[in-house]
Amino acid sequence: MASSRLNQARDRRFDLVALLLGLMVATASAQPPQRQAAPKGPWMDKSLSPDQRAEMVVQEMTLDEKISMLHGRGGFLAEGAISNGGAGVIQGVPRLGLLPIQLADSAVGVRAAAERGRYSTLLPSTIALAAAWDSNLAYEYGELIGRELRDQQYQASLGAGVNLMREPRNGRNFEYAGEDPILAGKTVAQLVKGLQSQKVIGDIKHYALNDQETGRNIGDVKMSRRVMRQTDLLAFEIAILESQPGMVMCSYNKVNGDWACENDYLLNQLLKKTWGFKGAVISDWNATHTTAKAALAGLDAEQPGGPSERARFGDALKKAVDAGEVPMSRVDEMVHRILRTAFAAGVVDDPPLGRVVDPFKGAATAQRVAEQSSVLLKNANSLLPLDAARVKSIAIIGSKADTSVLSGGGSAQVDPPGGGASRFGGPAIWFPSSPLNAVRGKAPRAKVEYHDGVDVKAAAAFAKTSEIAIVFVNEPTTEGRDMPSLNLSGTQNELVSAVAAANPRTIVVLETGGPAAMPWIDSVGAAIEIWYPGIRGAEALANILFGDVNPQAKLPATFAKSDADLPHPAIFGFDQLPKPGATPPPGTPGAPPQRFQMKPFDIDYTEGLKVGYKWFQAENKQPLFAFGHGLSYTSFAYSDLTATIDSVSFKVRNTGKRAGAEIAQVYAGLPASANEPPKRLVAWEKVLLSPGEVKTVTLKLDPKFLSIFNEDKDDWELLSGDYRIFVGGASDSTPLSAPVRR
Ligand code: BGC
């Protein structure tokens, strides 16, 4: 009772904040940035296809109008009236009543809302979503972002990132969907489908191989076609084919010698020809290096552009057309792709009119995602869940857990409610969702106190006096910067070790954007990874800690014991960065504004196909926690596997005392002649089971996921030979296996 009263009180506080925010939104929405006559013309006939409609508009446009559509006018509020405050704008055609397309970063919620007096929901990070292995949830996540983009009068999102986690220290891993191409591709496909269901243009980025931030503007990724197609590009292939996004954003880096935004293989040959992508390729911000080469290689639009005389796809493109370097037909195609995308998404017929964001609906979704994406890594002697009726005292330690949860930085940064606008490269932003209050709400009779953990000895002494200690550790990550190591920064490892030494009932909660090393893991009772958990992170966590929610998520990436076990002990190009304590060179966050140019370097991913768990299995290395690992408060048993090359069937039983969900995973080993890593994920299903219940799971196997990419044939090939199917609850726990011949 008391607990629910406290919860209600907290909810009411949340309601008040939300109401105030809503009023701010209403005020902001009262000044729409775009006022223009409704579009008229034969292309407004909705019975025509998006291609027919686009073609009609192209026929009407002058060359200047076409050129103006192909470069932005500068990011954020640079262009005053024509910008809605997002990262960029695709200019419209005022003469024809066609509105500009307002673009907003919205990886984990709509960015830069506070700048315009608006509010956006902060969702758990994309990596968290991948940890849920749940297509419905991914759709819902995308729907929320799409809805809030429309509410804020944006026509297009900038991302859905699906870069593969080849590098667990990449500062943007929190914006991506993990290390497996199929899980990542399917997760992002559902997200984009959900987003586009709201009549907003979806975008998939950063195409391709932008798997580290260090030297992202200069690094040249070297990789064979087979490796690319089976790893990083497979994630894009799945996401793009399944969701048909309106846009794909090409990345900053080079791939095999050519910039990604002028890479004929990536853009023309693969994306447009082989995959049949009908939308527009837009450049990452300032990633357009040339005019004719980029236009001919398949780049359709430059962002953020700027005044026509300075843009590569401005006056320079007009000159290139006049000089015959870029045919007019190509310019028409570029414009066609943008217009087609706008018609297909519905933003011309049904432009976003602006509406108050619903913070309650957003918070409810954010909480559900957090509950389903937090991974219980360790739970010795069933320390968790805590029994609210019995627990007498809990020490909460570290990571601002008295007030807040962490969010990820860079262009995926969502502004905090009621707070000021966040600054790119500025300090990490903490959101008001208080673990201390949430735990107090669950155990109202217990003594629940907080210590900031700065003084390690004092924190350990504080932990000693409590029955339970919950230590929070965190690692802020951001676009533009990688982590030097998997080790948690500062004195956090010492803090955990000291607290665990003082109190055997220590639970560690990690707020990280990806894998972290845990040298103290053997000394703690339990550990739970909550990623950057979003605006209701603390409430979701408390539900898990006290067993109102049974954890069900599984890791979408391998957690290595240490950097030494990774394919590359250090990040490529990291040696060029200033050493800690040295004056940062211009261009790095907090440094003078001139551009800091690193010397060109190659990024040679020598591990090739062995990304993530495939590396650990092929090299016989024991990870700290394997890909696919995640515990529940109940237990599951697998039996009765039958498998063919097309489908598998098996039983899962809940052998414990609580209802729970198991993410059952199917892996395949290919014939020896394929020369592949031992196992690859090929299918999975989340199975909900009450205690004692058994369900039969039958899953189709997609032949592409069992294939290799044959470079000579330039196509996928399902080899003949002996396969092996493995089934279980993690990549390192597959109790069932069966041979399959093809
Ligand atoms: C990022 C993109 C982002 C763009 C616009 C770039 O720095 O790499 O992901 O969409 O900025 O903010």
Side-chain angles (χ1 to χ4, degrees):
M1 264 319 272
S3 135
S4 85
R5 259 202 311 279
L6 265 173
N7 278 336
Q8 279 165 11
R10 223 186 28 251
D11 283 350
R12 266 201 301 279
R13 265 205 311 278
F14 187 84
D15 290 1
L16 273 175
V17 173
L19 190 70
L20 287 170
L21 289 165
L23 287 173
M24 285 160 67
V25 178
T27 320
S29 304
Q31 313 144 0
Q34 321 146 12
R35 282 240 180 270
Q36 199 166 323
K40 288 199 285 277
W43 49 82
M44 292 311 290
D45 177 352
K46 292 186 202 167
S47 70
L48 301 173
S49 72
D51 279 309
Q52 287 170 319
R53 299 173 72 180
E55 205 43 52
M56 285 174 162
V57 179
V58 174
Q59 297 300 328
E60 278 296 314
M61 288 169 73
T62 65
L63 179 58
D64 283 335
E65 285 168 340
K66 291 175 189 168
I67 298 281
S68 75
M69 191 173 269
L70 301 179
H71 64 93
R73 291 259 304 266
F76 297 100
L77 294 173
E79 295 305 316
I82 88 150
S83 169
N84 182 26
V89 182
I90 293 178
Q91 302 181 72
V93 193
R95 184 175 64 84
L96 304 179
L98 290 168
L99 292 171
I101 297 174
Q102 302 285 348
L103 313 162
D105 283 310
S106 49
V108 301
V110 182
R111 179 186 175 199
E115 206 165 341
R116 283 265 168 163
R118 300 184 291 228
Y119 169 81
S120 303
T121 299
L122 173 72
L123 285 158
S125 303
T126 322
I127 181 105
L129 182 66
W133 300 56
D134 185 324
S135 55
N136 294 330
L137 198 70
Y139 189 93
E140 211 183 309
Y141 187 104
E143 241 177 1
L144 182 149
I145 295 174
R147 188 175 70 235
E148 294 194 1
L149 279 165
R150 263 190 88 83
D151 290 346
Q152 297 180 46
Q153 285 189 295
Y154 290 107
Q155 283 88 347
S157 130
L158 294 171
V162 74
N163 295 80
L164 217 57
M165 193 196 289
R166 272 186 180 270
E167 175 46 76
R169 296 156 297 195
N170 176 359
R172 295 191 89 169
N173 281 335
F174 76 94
E175 298 180 52
Y176 303 144
E179 70 189 23
D180 183 83
I182 301 176
L183 179 61
K186 294 246 172 209
T187 302
V188 168
Q190 286 302 314
L191 189 164
V192 173
K193 277 190 188 173
L195 187 141
Q196 295 200 146
S197 75
Q198 299 300 299
K199 294 196 181 164
V200 174
I201 298 167
D203 169 50
I204 289 183
K205 68 187 186 184
H206 308 86
Y207 186 66
L209 286 147
N210 181 183
D211 297 344
Q212 65 172 57
E213 290 297 285
T214 307
R216 66 176 178 174
N217 289 301
I218 196 79
D220 185 356
V221 176
K222 303 292 185 193
M223 199 176 278
S224 75
R225 291 217 174 153
R226 172 170 173 187
V227 171
M228 275 194 235
R229 292 297 304 272
Q230 285 187 216
T231 59
D232 299 62
L233 295 185
L234 179 55
F236 280 95
E237 179 167 351
I238 295 167
I240 291 167
L241 291 183
E242 291 190 7
S243 72
Q244 300 291 332
M247 303 187 306
V248 166
M249 183 192 291
C250 50
S251 57
Y252 284 121
N253 52 294
K254 287 184 175 179
V255 176
N256 291 334
D258 279 325
W259 297 110
C261 286
E262 53 182 55
N263 194 303
D264 182 71
Y265 172 68
L266 287 178
L267 305 181
N268 278 340
Q269 295 182 45
L270 188 59
L271 176 63
K272 293 185 175 176
K273 189 150 170 272
T274 308
W275 296 344
F277 173 65
K278 296 228 177 338
V281 177
I282 70 163
S283 70
D284 200 342
W285 268 228
N286 298 313
T288 310
H289 292 262
T290 54
T291 300
K293 184 175 179 188
L296 295 177
L299 178 65
D300 299 309
E302 176 188 9
Q303 283 295 331
S308 195
E309 61 276 15
R310 290 216 308 267
R312 306 249 190 227
F313 281 10
D315 293 357
L317 182 57
K318 198 172 171 190
K319 275 202 203 105
V321 173
D322 288 343
E325 289 163 20
V326 175
M328 193 61 197
S329 58
R330 172 65 188 127
V331 171
D332 286 350
E333 192 213 341
M334 293 155 84
V335 174
H336 179 108
R337 283 175 174 273
I338 295 168
L339 290 167
R340 183 203 185 276
T341 286
F343 283 118
V347 298
V348 181
D349 298 328
D350 191 2
L353 297 176
R355 211 170 38 187
V356 176
V357 164
D358 182 342
F360 309 108
K361 212 168 161 185
T365 303
Q367 180 164 338
R368 199 161 46 252
V369 176
E371 288 170 352
Q372 295 187 33
S373 63
S374 297
V375 185
L376 181 62
L377 298 169
K378 175 174 179 181
N379 192 17
N381 306 319
S382 299
L383 176 55
L384 289 171
L386 301 174
D387 184 342
R390 291 209 181 148
V391 65
K392 301 233 163 28
S393 54
I394 303 176
I396 308 262
I397 299 166
S399 290
K400 302 185 195 289
D402 52 339
T403 54
S404 29
V405 296
L406 184 56
S407 65
S411 57
Q413 178 73 63
V414 171
D415 289 340
S422 52
R423 218 163 27 82
F424 194 96
I429 308 264
W430 294 80
F431 273 66
S433 173
S434 157
L436 176 65
N437 288 347
V439 169
R440 281 183 174 158
K442 289 284 175 191
R445 281 193 291 274
K447 184 171 156 255
V448 185
E449 301 293 342
Y450 174 76
H451 188 283
D452 67 12
V454 175
D455 180 337
V456 170
K457 268 200 187 140
F462 173 71
K464 207 178 179 108
T465 62
S466 277
E467 198 181 323
I468 300 281
I470 310 181
V471 197
F472 287 72
V473 293
N474 73 81
E475 201 56 52
T477 54
T478 177
E479 173 183 343
R481 203 165 35 211
D482 297 319
M483 290 182 299
S485 153
L486 293 171
N487 291 324
L488 294 171
S489 53
T491 53
Q492 299 188 92
N493 283 338
E494 285 96 300
L495 174 67
V496 177
S497 299
V499 170
N503 188 329
R505 288 153 68 89
T506 291
I507 298 156
V508 181
V509 177
L510 296 106
E511 293 174 78
T512 66
M518 302 177 208
W520 33 257
I521 193 69
D522 291 337
S523 65
V524 305
I528 177 163
E529 172 62 79
I530 64 170
W531 317 104
Y532 303 143
I535 187 66
R536 287 279 200 157
E539 292 74 10
L541 172 68
N543 276 344
I544 293 175
L545 292 175
F546 288 88
D548 298 305
V549 167
N550 191 350
Q552 50 195 257
K554 304 267 189 175
L555 291 178
T558 309
F559 278 44
K561 283 183 186 155
S562 75
D563 297 86
D565 285 339
L566 300 175
H568 308 281
I571 292 188
F572 297 97
F574 216 76
D575 51 343
Q576 288 196 46
L577 296 179
K579 299 285 165 278
T583 317
T588 45
Q594 311 93 342
R595 236 181 145 57
F596 163 54
Q597 198 58 50
M598 297 173 81
K599 287 195 243 35
F601 61 93
D602 286 351
I603 300 178
D604 187 1
Y605 289 119
T606 47
E607 74 280 9
L609 295 169
K610 294 183 274 183
V611 178
Y613 62 95
K614 295 167 185 163
W615 165 262
F616 282 79
Q617 293 183 343
E619 304 288 317
N620 266 317
K621 285 179 193 283
Q622 198 56 44
L624 172 63
F625 293 111
F627 174 85
H629 167 78
L631 304 173
S632 162
Y633 296 148
T634 187
S635 49
F636 302 96
Y638 288 79
S639 67
D640 299 275
L641 171 64
T642 56
T644 67
I645 197 76
D646 306 310
S647 80
V648 294
S649 174
F650 54 90
K651 288 187 174 147
V652 190
R653 175 192 293 272
N654 182 342
T655 51
K657 295 196 183 71
R658 283 169 182 261
E662 167 75 332
I663 296 161
Q665 301 156 42
V666 181
Y667 294 83
L670 268 59
S673 63
N675 209 4
E676 285 282 312
K679 276 184 203 166
R680 55 162 80 164
L681 179 74
V682 289
W684 63 89
E685 177 143 303
K686 194 189 250 189
V687 197
L688 293 166
L689 293 165
S690 25
E693 190 182 354
V694 188
K695 274 189 188 157
T696 301
V697 179
T698 304
L699 295 170
K700 285 237 153 307
L701 299 181
D702 185 330
K704 187 186 279 180
F705 301 163
L706 292 166
S707 297
I708 62 157
F709 187 78
N710 183 321
E711 288 190 5
D712 298 330
K713 295 187 184 151
D714 195 33
D715 206 354
W716 294 98
E717 183 180 13
L718 185 62
L719 297 174
S720 298
D722 293 319
Y723 289 74
R724 196 157 192 95
I725 298 295
F726 304 88
V727 175
S731 63
D732 66 344
S733 166
T734 49
L736 306 180
S737 86
V740 167
R741 204 174 158 69
R742 176 181 186 268

